[in-house]
Amino acid sequence: MTANALIPDVLRADVETLWDYHDMHHVVQPADVGIGLGSHDLGVATYAADLYLQGLFPLIVFTGANAPTTISRFPRGEAVHYKEHAVERGVPDWAVLVESQATNTGENFAYTRALLAQHGVIVTSAVLISRPYQQRRAYATCKKLWPEIEITCTSLPLSLDDYVESVGDVDRVINMLVGDTQRITEYAKKGFAVEQPYPNEVDAAFNRLAAAGYTSRLI
């Protein structure tokens, strides 16, 4: 493991606390659609394709335009690149819809819902595939905007250390974890998402990591 992908020992317990908090620990169930949320993480497309090929859902929607952190990696848009990757892994072209306008998680679900309605797809259940640390926020946002459907959340199965290694930048991962943790409470206050449990140990880990300087993704 490279030096910039090593979690400092003094931070490990707090980073692991946040990592585990964002994992919804859902068992993936068969659903009407798989929804892959765009980001810098191509593992979302990899795992969405794998689940499709396992027969967990008959249709994938990839949703996402670009963020400043993804435009250089995915110049044609996150969802477009995700579809290309899924097709390369064996998913039929006709089994993937692309929603290429969303620039935040709320738009991911609002625009995906509209796209599926346009195609006459009736949705009662969905599997949400995201970055590991986005699972809880994706769940809370979807429950706010699309409360009538059954949801399971999942991510490419990787340990914390393996995920940090795959990104290659431990500071980026910790900053993202801290930022997504803040968004759980703040977005609920703003009405963007439903409230989620927020244990004292999660709050304490969040505050210690923010005090240690991991603040670049705070709002």
Side-chain angles (χ1 to χ4, degrees):
M1 184 175 290
T2 58
N4 63 347
L6 288 171
I7 300 169
D9 289 341
V10 69
L11 303 177
R12 175 170 286 278
D14 288 336
V15 174
E16 288 179 345
T17 294
L18 297 192
W19 175 262
D20 187 68
Y21 174 66
H22 289 286
D23 186 340
M24 297 297 290
H25 301 285
H26 287 169
V27 176
V28 178
Q29 301 291 334
D32 298 319
V33 65
I35 302 173
L37 303 180
S39 70
H40 65 86
D41 186 353
L42 196 60
V44 172
T46 297
Y47 200 44
D50 291 351
L51 293 175
Y52 172 88
L53 294 170
Q54 292 169 27
L56 269 297
F57 35 76
L59 179 68
I60 300 171
V61 179
F62 289 125
T63 168
N66 272 122
T69 55
T70 65
I71 195 164
S72 61
R73 185 175 190 192
F74 302 134
R76 295 184 300 285
E78 297 158 3
V80 172
H81 283 266
Y82 275 20
K83 176 176 180 175
E84 292 169 353
H85 184 67
V87 169
E88 287 173 359
R89 292 183 70 83
V91 177
D93 182 88
W94 51 261
V96 185
L97 297 178
V98 169
E99 186 294 297
S100 60
Q101 302 303 310
T103 59
N104 59 56
T105 308
E107 290 180 353
N108 286 142
F109 293 118
Y111 296 171
T112 293
R113 186 176 186 176
L115 178 66
L116 288 165
Q118 289 168 14
H119 283 265
V121 180
I122 297 173
V123 177
T124 62
S125 58
V127 177
L128 310 184
I129 306 104
S130 70
R131 297 162 290 179
Y133 54 81
Q134 192 186 9
Q135 282 190 36
R136 187 171 292 276
R137 181 158 61 90
Y139 177 85
T141 305
C142 192
K143 276 296 185 185
K144 181 71 176 184
L145 298 176
W146 210 348
E148 65 271 28
I149 68 170
E150 293 295 322
I151 301 166
T152 53
C153 297
T154 192
S155 304
L156 184 68
L158 289 174
S159 69
L160 171 58
D161 288 305
D162 286 343
Y163 186 76
V164 171
E165 177 72 11
S166 73
V167 174
D169 185 343
V170 67
D171 288 347
R172 180 178 185 179
V173 173
I174 297 174
N175 275 304
M176 292 288 192
L177 279 166
V178 171
D180 262 56
T181 302
Q182 183 196 40
R183 284 162 174 76
I184 295 299
T185 55
E186 292 302 309
Y187 283 5
K189 292 176 187 176
K190 294 176 184 293
F192 299 160
V194 300
E195 290 187 8
Q196 290 290 285
Y198 192 67
N200 290 336
E201 60 269 24
V202 171
D203 186 52
F206 165 79
N207 284 314
R208 283 190 293 265
L209 289 169
Y214 293 94
T215 58
S216 70
R217 292 289 297 168
L218 295 182
I219 52 177

